């Protein structure tokens, strides 16, 4: 006689036989499923609240639901800061109002108007605010599951927010998720320590609206995509297959009235119109973007090593990249010195040196790197991570000047071998054939004829392996992975982040311009924010500038990288705007204006 199966007093009491006999036996039944479907379908982002207090037991029930969420490695990284003080809620609302107005300035006029029309008073009206913060002070490698996906702690906190939201809806409470904050501002308001990041502010209270559909959908901001549009079978569609549309962006270039107003202001100076030629046009564009009072900015200098140097394509040892970045951190590199002379701050980014650069901001790839010829330069996961890191750096650099408005963001790079990388990436983005490699490769920093021939062979082989890149965001990301470099990917992200913050972006040589070209493929509105600081000696540089539609300010046959040419150009632009502020204005119909125009018409 077989003995009965021992049933554990803790853990799973079911047996394999039971599970095999009834695979669906864990179901909670049709009634529970229907109720869950009702709650999911009725969840709304509430913006109008009643002032009536929320009983403490209901607040606790909502928080308990958040605490019941799944978390990576069972780390439970969420921290719930419950805010009831009206003064704190009012200060938070002020921060959100300022961020909303700033974001509206970045959108096309119709979208800006809709954003400003959206009601965001819940921060003041809702009697309870819950700030969900993620405690990231534990190293990712020490949490099961975070070593390979380091942001899973943030995703875990998002799961907690969803639990809280659904529970609030089931209880009849309203919840609104507000993320119109600069994260550092919200963290400062709540005195969060370093390493603890916010995921926004949850307004919690009795709703003063009962919307039948999502508010942004009702306001015609966006529509709910059909399920079929977001479900893929087995893999991402390949070229020629039907693929999902990319999320819509509402970034825009400078408004026409600001461009015209900036030019009109320059025309009122006691000088011929566009007396400084292309410099005047650039200065007017910068003033339209950032305001005529712009007085500074930041050089973002990114550097990395490249496996392609194994093909003997550079006249210098790879150690030079580390040495230059280290000198830049100390303020003694050529680029840092020129930045200082132009009135710019310097942000040094170690995007992947073999030896980590002390004092530099790290934004380094995690996966394997290839030599372009036989393997991809970067993994696609690293490209996405470097782009995102660059976005954050670009946005922070743009806004480092404080409430006066965005400053110039000046791009610079250093990387032994990266002229070969930039040439290959230019070829991929421009859709060139391998046979056209000779039109892309130049001397770099001191190559001889034999080395140039090797560079051409490498670029041709890279283009043969990867093929031309489609002219869209996915194509740009793929090209960055196939033949890009870590510092180029970071600078692409820097350009995107700077533009999101409304800043003008000043470009240097070929590598920075190729990064900007990739950024325009990801977000076309970037182009309106770009300033070509110089045309370098690199053969491919004029071709990339033409693709960007930019006229360079300088052509000094520079061989230096590090953003030197861009710093020189930035200094000229800032000096021009400063001079405009000090130059005499003329009356609209002042005597002699016609004569001034006639005297200068033939010059």
């Amino acid at each position: 006689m077989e003995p009965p199966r021992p049933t554990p007093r803790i853990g799973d009491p079911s047996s394999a036989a039971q599970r095999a006999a009834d695979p669906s036996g864990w179901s909670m039944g049709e009634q529970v499923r229907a109720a869950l479907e009702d709650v999911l379908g009725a969840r709304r982002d509430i913006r109008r609240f009643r002032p009536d207090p929320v009983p403490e037991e209901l607040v606790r029930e909502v928080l308990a639901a958040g605490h019941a969420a799944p978390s990576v490695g069972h780390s439970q990284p969420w921290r719930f800061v419950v805010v009831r003080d009206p003064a704190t809620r009012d200060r938070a609302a002020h921060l959100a109002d300022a961020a909303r107005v700033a974001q509206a300035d970045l959108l096309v006029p119709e979208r800006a108007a809709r954003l400003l029309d959206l009601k965001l008073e819940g921060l003041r009206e809702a009697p309870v605010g819950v700030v969900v913060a993620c405690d990231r002070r534990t190293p990712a490698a020490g949490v099961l599951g975070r070593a390979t996906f380091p942001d899973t702690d943030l995703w875990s906190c998002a799961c907690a927010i969803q639990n809280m939201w659904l529970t609030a809806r089931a209880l009849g409470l309203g919840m609104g998720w507000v993320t119109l904050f600069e994260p550092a501002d919200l963290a400062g308001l709540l005195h969060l320590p370093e390493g603890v990041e916010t995921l926004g502010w949850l307004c919690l209270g009795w709703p003063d609206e009962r919307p039948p559909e999502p508010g942004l959908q009702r306001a015609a901001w966006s529509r709910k995509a059909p399920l079929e549009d977001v479900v893929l079978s087995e893999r991402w569609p390949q070229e020629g297959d039907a693929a999902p549309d990319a999320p819509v962006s509402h970034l825009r270039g400078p408004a026409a009235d600001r461009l015209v107003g900036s030019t009109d202001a320059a025309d009122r100076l006691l000088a011929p119109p566009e007396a400084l030629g292309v410099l005047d046009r650039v200065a007017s564009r910068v003033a339209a973007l950032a305001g005529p009072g712009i007085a500074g900015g930041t050089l973002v200098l990114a550097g990395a090593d490249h496996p392609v140097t194994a093909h003997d394509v550079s006249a210098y040892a790879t150690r030079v990249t580390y040495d230059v970045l280290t000198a830049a951190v100390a303020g003694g590199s050529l680029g840092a010195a020129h930045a200082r002379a132009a009135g710019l701050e310097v942000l040094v980014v170690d995007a992947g040196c073999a030896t980590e650069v002390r004092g530099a901001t790290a934004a380094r790839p995690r996966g394997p790197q290839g030599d372009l010829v036989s393997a991809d330069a970067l993994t696609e996961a690293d490209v996405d991570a470097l782009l995102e890191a660059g976005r954050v750096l670009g946005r922070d650099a743009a806004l480092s000047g404080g409430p006066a408005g965005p400053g110039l963001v000046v791009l610079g790079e250093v990387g032994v071998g990266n002229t070969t990388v930039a040439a290959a990436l230019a070829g991929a983005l421009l859709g060139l054939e391998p046979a056209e490699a000779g039109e892309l490769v130049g001397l770099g920093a001191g190559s001889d004829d034999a080395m140039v021939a090797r560079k051409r062979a490498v670029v041709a082989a890279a283009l043969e392996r990867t093929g031309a890149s489609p002219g869209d965001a996915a194509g740009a990301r793929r090209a960055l992975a196939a033949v890009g470099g870590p510092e180029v990917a970071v600078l692409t992200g820097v350009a995107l982040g700077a533009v999101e913050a409304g800043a003008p972006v000043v470009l240097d040589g070929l590598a920075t311009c190729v990064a900007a070209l990739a950024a325009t493929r990801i977000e076309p509105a970037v182009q309106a924010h770009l300033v070509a600081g110089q045309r370098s000696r690199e053969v491919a540089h004029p071709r990339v500038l033409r693709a960007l539609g930019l006229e360079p300010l300088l052509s000094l046959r520079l061989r230096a990288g590090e953003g030197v040419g861009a710093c020189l150009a930035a200094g000229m632009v800032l000096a021009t705007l400063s001079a405009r502020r000090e130059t005499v204005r003329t009356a609209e119909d002042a005597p002699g204006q016609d004569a001034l125009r006639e005297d200068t018409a033939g010059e």
Side-chain angles (χ1 to χ4, degrees):
M1 179 178 178
E2 295 181 351
R5 172 183 175 272
T7 302
R9 291 186 296 170
I10 58 174
D12 182 2
S14 68
S15 68
Q18 291 170 332
R19 296 190 294 271
D22 186 10
S24 63
W26 212 33
S27 167
M28 293 184 176
E30 190 60 38
Q31 186 175 358
V32 173
R33 287 168 54 191
L36 176 60
E37 185 175 341
D38 287 345
V39 175
L40 289 171
R43 183 208 56 78
R44 295 289 179 265
D45 195 6
I46 298 300
R47 298 299 177 187
R48 300 177 63 93
F49 292 87
R50 302 289 307 161
D52 309 72
V54 178
E56 181 61 32
E57 61 270 19
L58 295 187
V59 174
R60 186 171 180 82
E61 190 169 343
V62 170
L63 296 174
H67 193 42
S71 62
V72 60
H74 203 239
S75 57
Q76 305 161 76
W78 43 72
R79 303 292 182 266
F80 305 128
V81 182
V82 181
V83 180
R84 294 185 175 86
D85 179 17
T88 302
R89 290 190 279 118
D90 192 60
R91 289 196 294 273
H94 186 184
L95 293 175
D97 286 341
R100 177 172 59 153
V101 171
Q103 184 173 345
D105 283 343
L106 305 178
L107 304 178
V108 295
E110 178 193 2
R111 293 285 172 171
R114 289 184 181 180
L115 173 61
L116 295 173
D117 285 343
L118 295 177
K119 181 172 175 57
L120 299 176
E121 287 299 305
L123 287 160
R124 292 185 173 93
E125 293 176 352
V128 180
V130 180
V131 176
V132 179
C134 183
D135 191 338
R136 314 194 76 187
R137 292 176 293 179
T138 300
V143 178
L144 181 64
R146 272 193 69 202
T148 47
F149 283 83
D151 289 336
T152 44
D153 55 343
L154 294 170
W155 307 343
S156 301
C157 292
C159 292
I161 290 173
Q162 176 79 335
N163 274 16
M164 296 165 69
W165 216 335
L166 295 175
T167 300
R169 178 64 187 91
L171 294 171
L173 291 167
M175 180 172 283
W177 190 357
V178 182
T179 54
L180 280 174
F181 298 98
E182 288 297 330
D185 293 341
L186 183 55
L189 176 64
L190 301 177
H191 306 290
L192 300 184
E194 189 74 22
V196 177
E197 299 182 17
T198 70
L199 280 80
W201 181 294
L202 302 178
C203 303
L204 182 65
W206 299 110
D208 200 24
E209 59 175 340
R210 296 175 183 178
E213 59 182 344
L216 291 179
Q217 181 173 310
R218 188 172 66 252
W221 180 269
S222 62
R223 65 176 181 83
K224 187 71 172 178
L227 180 63
E228 292 73 19
D229 286 2
V230 297
V231 176
L232 308 175
S233 179
E234 305 295 346
R235 58 174 175 78
W236 193 268
Q238 303 302 293
E239 187 174 355
D241 297 342
D245 293 333
V248 176
S249 169
H250 304 301
L251 278 181
R252 62 169 176 83
D257 59 341
R258 294 185 67 175
L259 283 172
V260 173
S262 179
T263 303
D264 286 349
D267 284 350
R268 288 194 58 209
L269 300 176
L270 188 60
E274 293 195 354
L276 302 182
V278 65
L279 181 56
D280 256 337
R281 291 196 295 274
V282 168
S284 293
R285 173 65 62 89
V286 168
L289 287 165
I294 182 173
T298 301
L299 167 65
V300 181
L301 178 60
D305 291 332
H306 297 274
V308 74
T309 54
H311 294 283
D312 196 14
V313 294
S314 177
Y316 293 93
T318 56
R319 168 78 188 193
V320 172
T321 302
Y322 171 83
D323 290 341
V324 171
L325 289 179
T326 300
V329 170
S333 72
L334 190 64
H338 276 83
R340 195 162 52 248
L344 305 173
E345 301 293 326
V346 180
L347 173 63
V348 181
V349 182
D350 176 1
C353 283
T355 303
E356 292 190 21
V357 180
R358 288 189 177 183
T361 297
R364 301 163 59 89
R366 294 173 176 270
Q369 295 177 249
D371 66 351
L372 315 189
V373 175
S374 61
D376 282 355
L378 298 165
T379 66
E380 294 190 7
D382 274 335
V383 167
D384 288 341
L386 294 171
L387 286 173
E388 183 57 31
R391 279 182 189 268
V392 174
L393 294 173
R395 186 173 62 247
D396 290 349
L399 301 177
S400 61
L408 295 178
V409 175
V410 180
L411 304 190
E413 46 67 37
V414 57
V416 172
N418 74 0
T419 55
T420 302
V421 170
L425 183 55
L429 292 173
L430 295 173
L432 301 186
E433 297 294 330
E436 298 175 279
E439 301 176 26
L440 298 169
V441 175
L443 293 173
S447 301
D448 58 16
D449 288 344
M451 188 167 285
V452 169
R454 289 192 293 273
K455 291 173 67 173
R456 287 174 180 159
V458 166
V459 172
L463 293 178
E464 182 70 37
R465 184 181 66 83
T466 61
S469 165
D472 57 12
R477 284 184 166 87
R478 177 62 198 137
L480 284 167
V483 292
E487 79 275 38
V488 179
V490 168
L491 290 177
T492 300
V494 169
L496 291 166
V499 170
E500 288 169 3
V505 178
V506 185
L507 309 177
D508 189 38
L510 175 62
T512 64
C513 287
V514 172
L517 183 60
T520 63
R521 299 291 173 82
I522 295 171
E523 175 52 75
V526 165
Q527 193 276 342
H529 292 248
L530 300 178
V531 174
Q534 62 138 335
R535 180 174 61 240
S536 70
R537 300 167 66 101
E538 285 300 314
V539 174
H541 198 183
R543 195 160 188 166
V544 174
L545 287 172
R546 286 196 298 272
L548 288 168
L550 299 177
E551 184 178 2
L553 284 174
L554 299 171
S555 182
L556 301 176
R557 297 191 296 278
L558 297 180
R559 287 185 178 176
E562 303 181 49
V564 169
C567 289
L568 291 170
M572 291 171 56
V573 172
L574 294 173
T576 298
L577 291 171
S578 176
R580 283 186 180 184
R581 293 191 289 271
E582 298 177 12
T583 300
V584 171
R585 265 70 174 165
T586 62
E588 290 294 335
D589 297 309
Q593 279 296 98
D594 291 340
L596 177 62
R597 293 191 179 95
E598 290 171 2
D599 289 344
T600 59
E603 293 181 3

